[in-house]
Amino acid sequence: KGSSTRTISRLLVPVETCHIASPAGNEVRRAFERWAREAGLAVYDGRTGEGYLRHLVVREGAHTGQILPMLVTAAGAVPEPDRLRALVPESVVGVVHAENAGLGEATAGLEPRPLFGADRYEELVGGLRLSVTAGAFMQTNTVMSERLYELAMEYAGLTEADVAWDLYCGAGAIGLLAAATAGRIYGIEIAEESVARARENAERNGIANIEFVVGDVAKSVAPLLERAPRPDLVFVDPPRAGLTPKAVKRLLEL
């Protein structure tokens, strides 16, 4: 059974319509498929290390309609980018390219570079206009994340006398929304690209009572406490694996 499962996981299944993606997202994928076929590009095979195409990540602003695809390939320049540019719909603000020369099937932690157009897209979240690059974290389902954030703010009940920390803050959405009612916000995030976007988003939305720190939550709480007030409330939005034991310990200490 284990062997057959591994075999099935490597099957490539052609999909005309993905019902999770939006119609625009499907259109973008089809454009990339046509370009790849015309250019004669081979799919990367993890068993042999041969081939070129590895992943296509399509990020879309639900409220802005802006789309930023990231093409992940094996090492090597992207052929015929002008042809690709002619095929993608107008909603695509730009395409970025990232090389993955390793064996692991990763789309995070790479270094995407602009292939053409912009290297970021914009999304509206809870009245904020946020700029997001391919490697910066933000929830993919904007409509549901807005509802989630709305409930979080309701439960938090922050006032101008409160200090709140936003741990694993990503591109800063939670902290920036909380800044409207709290006195001071501090966000911690290990990904430098996400923190860069968070700082940029604070500036573009005119939010001055927030500070973002690059660092591992488990290691950054103590240093931040040496210069910042102890929080009255902490927001936590960790990776899928959840909080590490050390991060839990830091939270209990707070």
Side-chain angles (χ1 to χ4, degrees), residues 46-81:
R47 295 166 295 184
T48 64
E50 298 178 350
Y52 183 67
L53 299 173
R54 300 194 72 156
H55 292 93
L56 175 65
V57 181
V58 180
R59 304 192 69 169
E60 179 181 0
H63 294 318
T64 62
Q66 295 184 6
I67 296 179
L68 179 73
M70 177 174 71
L71 178 67
V72 181
T73 70
V78 177
E80 303 180 31

Side-chain angles (χ1 to χ4, degrees), residues 146-229:
E146 284 184 310
R147 180 57 179 150
L148 178 68
Y149 299 158
E150 180 184 350
L151 289 171
M153 299 307 144
E154 180 183 324
Y155 295 156
L158 294 168
T159 69
E160 291 185 3
D162 292 322
V163 174
W165 286 17
D166 179 10
L167 306 185
Y168 309 93
C169 66
I174 295 176
L176 292 169
L177 288 170
T181 51
R184 186 71 179 169
I185 305 289
Y186 295 87
I188 300 178
E189 167 63 48
I190 197 169
E192 293 186 13
E193 184 175 349
S194 289
V195 171
R197 297 292 76 72
R199 291 169 177 166
E200 179 182 298
N201 288 327
E203 183 175 354
R204 66 161 39 202
N205 287 280
I207 300 172
N209 61 329
I210 192 166
E211 178 183 341
F212 294 101
V213 177
V214 177
D216 183 337
V217 167
K219 299 176 181 178
S220 301
V221 168
L224 184 56
L225 271 179
E226 292 178 0
R227 63 179 183 81

